[in-house]
Amino acid sequence: MGMQGLGSLFGFRKNGALSERPEPRLRAPRARPPGRPTPEQALGWLLEGNAQFVSSGAPAPAHAQDEITSLAKGQSPLAVIVGCSDSRTAPEILFDCRLGDLFVVRVAGNSVDSTAMGSIEYAVHHLGCPLVMVLGHGGCGAVGAAVNLVIENSEFEGALESVVLPIVPAVLKAKAAGANDLLNSAVREHVVRVARRLNGCADLAATLTAGRLKVVGGFYDLHSGRVQMLA
Amino acid sequence: VAKSGRTSGARGFTLAPAHRHELLGPDAALAKLRTGADRLAHGDRLSRKGRTRLAALAKQQQPFAVLVGCSDSRVAPELIFGCGLGDLFVVRQAGNTVGERGLGSIVYGVEVLGAALIVVLGHARCGAVEAATRLAEDPAAFSGALKAAVEPIVPAVLKAKAADPADLVAAAVHENVRSIVDRIARSGEPAIADRLKDGRLKIIGAYYDLVTGEVEFLD
């Protein structure tokens, strides 16, 4: 997607090989969709980035100083990612993004409270983000804790409890459905529930209806590095 | 933190207990972040680790620091500090504020995963802090969830304002970082209090300059 122009700008050949030094092999950063992208374009661009990550190809070059300086004037992120604090699920890395690309809300167990909702609304209404992706991941520790609460009556004290409790309804639903892999089924169910909540948010309704915003759910597989879309 | 019927696992968690980890101490963790921030080669380390790293990480994460940052797309902690997957346990919210779930996440990162350092990272030209300066002037400036996100920052704005600074937003960002560091330290969570007391854990504030790309640690 539009790599040739940037490739020459950064002094790389189209195949990604550096023309001056043999190592390290670098490639041009992925070009963003031009203009004001639709929700579908933004989603396609994200998934293309994930494919790039999975392919484990040559990395993009470091941010140049002028890239950082010009971003200081303003941000126009392509998507909001509502993700987990888990250190293995950094959205910028999984989607092969650079500074300025993703507006990110992260808390253990990727749940959304009213302040998180405020962050999302800011990105949608003030920054014009066309896409919100709720991103869960396999083997999530916070969801695992909610599973332990349901199955083994584990108790959690203090602030940890506020992380675990919002996930319990998803565990109960996955359990009632007789899931084989309760943990990962609960992760999926929780993502779907959070996405549904955002889709039903009154303050986002007009933008959603106008087709200027889409809310989707994703599941990140820690082993394959792939993000799978959830209904 | 958690009482569990299980005899294995870390108190209600299925993850291996933190004491088995060979983790960096607070000072080594901070030194690693400083080095990362000093390097201009931000993006460079990231995708190169590839699949082998994924396989090892899938079993267990062992982040060396908890990073509390802003949702702003220009302040991605992994990119700013030159970190890879598995390095940073990250809590992000507009204005880098910490609610109950944020605090619970931090406790998880420290107690269950064994991170020895908590960094609260504010940044120049923060939209949430700018909004808080407006809310401090006019309580009707925002409503609903947006107001809920911005409101926790208002006390820092008022405190910064009292000193009549040249740049109110920058001063309020610094004040906001300081007050969040303080809130985490005094949260009353035993996992945090105990580790701070015996030096296994450190909390530090930091400020990212959007224009220069530099991080200033607020020791």
Side-chain angles (χ1 to χ4, degrees):
Chain A
M1 194 189 251
M3 298 268 284
Q4 292 93 324
L6 272 164
S8 60
L9 186 74
F10 282 82
F12 307 116
R13 281 199 285 269
K14 198 178 161 190
N15 65 6
L18 194 65
S19 45
E20 302 296 326
R21 295 174 296 159
E23 289 292 331
R25 285 166 59 87
L26 296 175
R27 65 178 162 84
R30 296 191 305 125
R32 288 170 49 145
R36 203 190 164 110
T38 64
E40 290 73 20
Q41 280 174 319
L43 181 58
W45 189 79
L46 276 190
L47 296 178
E48 182 192 271
N50 181 240
Q52 171 70 46
F53 167 73
V54 170
S55 80
S56 251
H63 289 82
Q65 184 57 52
D66 59 355
E67 212 179 340
I68 292 172
T69 310
S70 80
L71 269 175
K73 288 176 211 137
Q75 59 173 329
S76 56
L78 268 176
V80 181
I81 306 289
V82 179
C84 182
S85 296
D86 192 301
S87 62
R88 301 163 294 182
T89 64
E92 289 85 359
I93 300 179
L94 309 183
F95 292 111
D96 189 43
C97 288
R98 291 173 80 75
L99 293 177
D101 289 339
L102 301 177
F103 191 88
V104 178
V105 179
R106 286 173 78 180
V107 74
N110 47 267
S111 59
V112 169
D113 62 8
S114 59
T115 54
M117 192 65 100
S119 299
I120 297 164
E121 284 180 21
Y122 176 79
V124 169
H125 295 315
H126 294 260
L127 306 175
C129 266
L131 181 72
V132 178
M133 183 189 280
V134 182
L135 186 64
H137 67 96
C140 179
V143 177
V147 168
N148 290 350
L149 186 150
V150 168
I151 302 296
E152 304 175 15
N153 285 318
S154 299
E155 287 174 31
F156 299 91
E157 291 163 6
L160 258 182
E161 186 176 51
S162 69
V163 169
V164 177
L165 289 185
I167 307 169
V168 168
V171 176
L172 292 174
K173 181 144 186 220
K175 185 168 172 260
N180 282 328
D181 179 351
L182 182 56
L183 172 57
N184 288 327
S185 301
V187 169
R188 289 187 167 84
E189 181 59 37
H190 180 57
V191 166
V192 169
R193 288 176 65 94
V194 174
R196 194 184 302 141
R197 177 168 170 220
L198 295 177
N199 268 314
C201 169
D203 287 329
L204 298 178
T207 320
L208 282 163
T209 309
R212 281 184 282 118
L213 173 69
K214 209 170 182 167
V215 179
V216 298
F219 179 90
Y220 174 66
D221 184 323
L222 290 180
H223 298 273
S224 70
R226 281 201 175 78
V227 174
Q228 175 200 13
M229 298 304 297
L230 301 177
Chain B
V1 173
K3 297 178 206 110
S4 169
R6 287 167 64 97
T7 48
S8 62
R11 301 204 271 165
F13 290 94
T14 46
L15 287 153
H19 65 258
R20 280 197 209 142
H21 296 182
E22 288 172 31
L23 283 171
L24 299 178
D27 295 325
L30 183 55
K32 191 167 170 167
L33 284 183
R34 278 188 201 276
T35 311
D38 285 345
R39 233 181 323 149
L40 266 177
H42 295 316
D44 164 281
R45 277 179 56 192
L46 303 178
S47 35
R48 215 183 273 166
K49 283 176 179 165
R51 307 285 285 273
T52 46
R53 179 110 168 103
L54 278 190
L57 272 176
K59 291 190 201 114
Q60 193 179 310
Q61 64 173 325
Q62 204 170 285
F64 67 86
V66 174
L67 198 298
V68 179
C70 182
S71 296
D72 192 302
S73 62
R74 301 163 295 181
V75 197
E78 290 85 355
L79 303 185
I80 288 172
F81 293 108
C83 287
L85 292 180
D87 287 341
L88 301 177
F89 193 80
V90 178
V91 177
R92 287 175 75 179
Q93 181 79 260
N96 46 269
T97 56
V98 172
E100 272 301 287
R101 293 182 197 185
L103 185 60
S105 303
I106 295 167
V107 169
Y108 183 87
V110 168
E111 181 172 24
V112 182
L113 304 177
L117 179 70
I118 302 169
V119 178
V120 179
L121 181 67
H123 68 96
R125 305 182 189 183
C126 178
V129 174
E130 269 165 16
T133 61
R134 283 160 59 195
L135 191 61
E137 295 282 327
D138 172 16
F142 302 99
S143 62
L146 212 48
K147 189 171 185 176
V150 170
E151 228 162 18
I153 309 169
V154 171
V157 169
L158 296 176
K159 194 163 174 196
K161 218 174 181 175
D164 198 19
D167 182 345
L168 177 60
V169 171
V173 168
H174 280 87
E175 193 52 50
N176 189 39
V177 166
R178 271 192 289 273
S179 84
I180 292 165
V181 165
D182 203 51
R183 165 166 152 65
I184 297 168
R186 293 165 197 261
S187 61
E189 291 287 336
I192 292 173
D194 295 350
R195 284 167 178 77
L196 280 176
K197 212 177 189 176
D198 66 19
R200 277 180 293 159
L201 177 70
K202 218 171 208 170
I203 308 183
I204 190 170
Y207 182 85
Y208 176 67
D209 185 323
L210 276 185
V211 178
T212 63
E214 281 164 14
V215 176
E216 170 199 2
F217 285 93
L218 312 173
D219 297 276

